[in-house]
Amino acid sequence: MSEPAFRPDPTSPSDCAENHRRMLAGELYYSWTPDLVQGRARCKSAMLKYNTEAADGETSRRRVAELLMDLLQDPTPLPPKLDDPQQDADQFDDFPYIDTPIKMDYGSNVKLGKGVYMNSSCTLLDVCPITIGARTLIGPNVHFYSASHPIDPITRNGMRGPELGKPIAVGEDCWFGGSCVVLPGVTIGRGVVVGAGSVVTKDVEDFVVVAGNPARVVKRLDVEREKYEAMVKENKERGH
């Protein structure tokens, strides 16, 4: 593999825009253009605020939600503030929650469904989109790597060469044990359980348990599909 012909001029807005497009599309791109450097710096600042304030037990649920929305660059408006603190906090029962500390590259490429929970010390390298479905539970020290590098050392060229990535998609109602790793390009179906310490290298079908390195199906779950779909429908109707 030779070095790609496209090498962005960091002073050219159109080159930077094309480089950014290539990053999100999973094509070879360069990570040092000013817009990407600025995006990572913004994320570091937002992570510092989140990891500091959200770790304080006195921080309100609303404030934690505001910090997370800023980290993810999510423009969705929060519900109107209520005078009663507990009633106001109750409005965020189904809002995603991440225990600190959390590590992301950009934050803006992470999409979390309702009721997602992440335990502490998770890492999301989000050069490409990382999407996690509603009600998914994620144990501590779980890593999602949408980032990768060329395997050819000449193309890779240390920190001077291009990078690439592939998106990660996780379905609704999954559960990840601690210290799992999900590699670039993986799609995980609904209702999947990933055993602690597993490395997920390829797509996983719905309603199975996978474990190991590489993760393999160790059990198929006998889920009553009609009851499951009814649960999902009920949650959606309630806004959960």
Side-chain angles (χ1 to χ4, degrees):
M1 181 186 291
S2 60
E3 187 171 341
F6 177 77
R7 187 179 181 91
D9 176 355
T11 67
S12 168
S14 61
D15 274 18
C16 290
E18 170 61 15
N19 188 62
H20 194 179
R21 183 202 67 76
R22 290 179 179 228
M23 180 185 82
L24 294 176
E27 302 172 15
L28 289 173
Y29 76 99
Y30 290 86
S31 64
W32 41 253
T33 53
D35 59 320
L36 297 184
V37 172
Q38 183 180 22
R40 293 192 297 274
R42 182 215 66 83
C43 185
K44 285 182 180 179
S45 177
M47 280 191 301
L48 178 60
K49 290 179 182 178
Y50 186 87
N51 287 333
T52 301
E53 292 191 46
D56 184 345
E58 299 301 316
T59 304
S60 72
R61 189 67 181 88
R62 174 174 291 275
R63 178 57 180 160
V64 172
E66 290 173 347
L67 292 165
L68 182 57
M69 297 290 269
D70 180 53
L71 175 57
L72 303 182
Q73 291 286 276
D74 187 338
T76 306
L78 297 180
K81 188 173 183 179
L82 302 179
D83 292 334
D84 182 273
Q86 185 57 55
Q87 290 180 355
D88 190 58
D90 290 345
Q91 296 186 99
F92 297 93
D93 281 352
D94 293 305
F95 201 83
Y97 190 85
I98 300 176
D99 268 329
T100 59
I102 183 68
K103 173 69 172 69
M104 300 179 184
D105 274 343
Y106 295 94
S108 55
N109 298 322
V110 174
K111 309 300 178 187
L112 304 178
K114 291 185 176 181
V116 167
Y117 171 72
M118 285 190 190
N119 212 312
S120 60
S121 300
C122 289
T123 297
L124 297 92
L125 303 186
D126 60 318
V127 304
C128 285
I130 298 176
T131 305
I132 298 176
R135 300 174 301 280
T136 289
L137 307 177
I138 298 170
N141 198 42
V142 174
H143 293 191
F144 296 88
Y145 299 151
S146 77
S148 186
H149 296 273
I151 60 173
D152 177 67
I154 299 173
T155 303
R156 189 167 63 245
N157 193 20
M159 291 190 294
R160 296 186 177 185
E163 304 176 19
L164 74 161
K166 293 181 181 180
I168 292 172
V170 176
E172 298 177 337
D173 301 298
C174 294
W175 173 27
F176 291 79
S179 299
C180 298
V181 176
V182 181
L183 296 187
V186 166
T187 296
I188 295 175
R190 299 188 299 170
V192 171
V193 177
V194 181
S198 298
V199 179
V200 187
T201 62
K202 60 183 180 180
D203 291 354
V204 178
E205 63 188 286
D206 293 348
F207 305 116
V208 294
V209 179
V210 297
N213 180 8
R216 294 183 173 87
V217 175
V218 296
K219 184 176 182 179
R220 299 187 184 279
L221 300 174
D222 185 19
V223 175
E224 294 187 48
R225 298 299 178 96
E226 289 187 7
K227 287 185 177 181
Y228 175 77
E229 297 298 345
M231 180 199 75
V232 172
K233 181 180 179 181
E234 181 179 357
N235 278 316
K236 289 181 177 178
E237 289 174 349
R238 293 180 176 181
H240 297 178

